[in-house]
Amino acid sequence: MSYAIVGFGKIGQALAHAFARKNIEVAVASRRPPEALAPQARAIGPTVVARSLRDALEADTIILAVPFGEHREVAKALPSWKGKTVIDAMNAFPVPEELDGLPSSAFVAKAFTGAKLVKGFNHLIAATLAADPIGGHRVVFLSGDDEDATAPVAALAKQLGFAPVKLGKLNEGGALVHARGRIWGPLIFQDLFKKEP
């Protein structure tokens, strides 16, 4: 399995730290050229590699950590997303009217034709996500309409040192972790731990 993080702001860097801690290679890309990201990527760890967007999108699993409005630009970078898993770590804030009542991830899924989409890593602020909880595993909530996609994302979360909790489909459990305008899912910012077994 190959991994990429698209978006190298606070959330993208927090996730890159998780990959680096576990010595798992991950490509990172953003609107900026890879040379601009390389010093920061190297500072995080040798397994974090700056790439162009096109090269990063060759990965099997892509974590979207861009501002919500930019996901369409990323989606246009590939003619088909078939065979890819997209992890939506974004929040729609403020809520665009175009969502028209849809959960933001269901809206995002429409742009990534053919991809399997899983909502995850979006409910904590970057500093919390980046911190390594000593003596336990930080809970991350996952939701998706395709169980075949959620299971490998849960396995990745475990590999990265998190405790994945599956919440079901996007319009069920996904609604618990959506930040939408003044309507915040009840699990947003809930920093929960699972003790070491």
Side-chain angles (χ1 to χ4, degrees):
M1 272 299 214
S2 52
Y3 304 103
I5 300 167
V6 176
F8 204 48
K10 289 180 180 167
I11 293 290
Q13 288 181 40
L15 288 166
H17 276 281
F19 277 88
R21 269 198 300 272
K22 298 297 179 180
N23 244 352
I24 300 168
E25 185 161 317
V26 65
V28 294
S30 79
R31 282 177 303 194
R32 296 184 297 154
E35 309 78 69
L37 307 182
Q40 245 172 331
R42 271 196 303 272
I44 293 172
T47 60
V48 180
V49 185
R51 296 257 187 264
S52 68
L53 180 61
R54 187 171 292 269
D55 288 347
L57 294 181
E58 287 179 15
D60 305 307
T61 300
I62 291 123
I63 302 173
L64 275 185
V66 296
F68 185 79
E70 291 176 23
H71 74 271
R72 277 195 213 78
E73 283 310 303
V74 178
K76 285 179 197 160
L78 284 183
S80 166
W81 288 81
K82 204 165 171 49
K84 305 269 184 202
T85 297
V86 173
I87 301 172
D88 175 10
M90 304 177 297
N91 286 308
F93 195 80
V95 182
E97 294 204 357
E98 63 199 355
L99 288 187
D100 201 24
L102 274 180
S104 62
S105 292
F107 183 80
V108 170
K110 293 200 294 191
F112 291 85
T113 318
K116 294 175 175 180
L117 187 124
V118 177
K119 181 84 173 170
F121 301 104
N122 70 297
H123 83 284
L124 294 170
I125 59 168
T128 305
L129 196 60
D132 193 4
I134 308 301
H137 299 283
R138 181 164 275 118
V139 168
V140 291
F141 298 112
L142 304 176
S143 54
D145 292 342
D146 187 333
E147 177 54 36
D148 289 350
T150 309
V153 173
L156 169 64
K158 258 194 180 131
Q159 241 188 312
L160 292 175
F162 294 101
V165 173
K166 296 182 201 170
L167 297 178
K169 296 194 179 300
L170 293 173
N171 65 351
E172 303 160 356
L176 299 173
V177 289
H178 279 271
R180 298 186 53 173
R182 292 195 183 89
I183 309 162
W184 294 64
L187 295 179
I188 285 281
F189 301 138
Q190 296 298 317
D191 186 14
L192 307 174
F193 292 84
K194 186 177 175 193
K195 282 189 173 171
E196 297 282 11

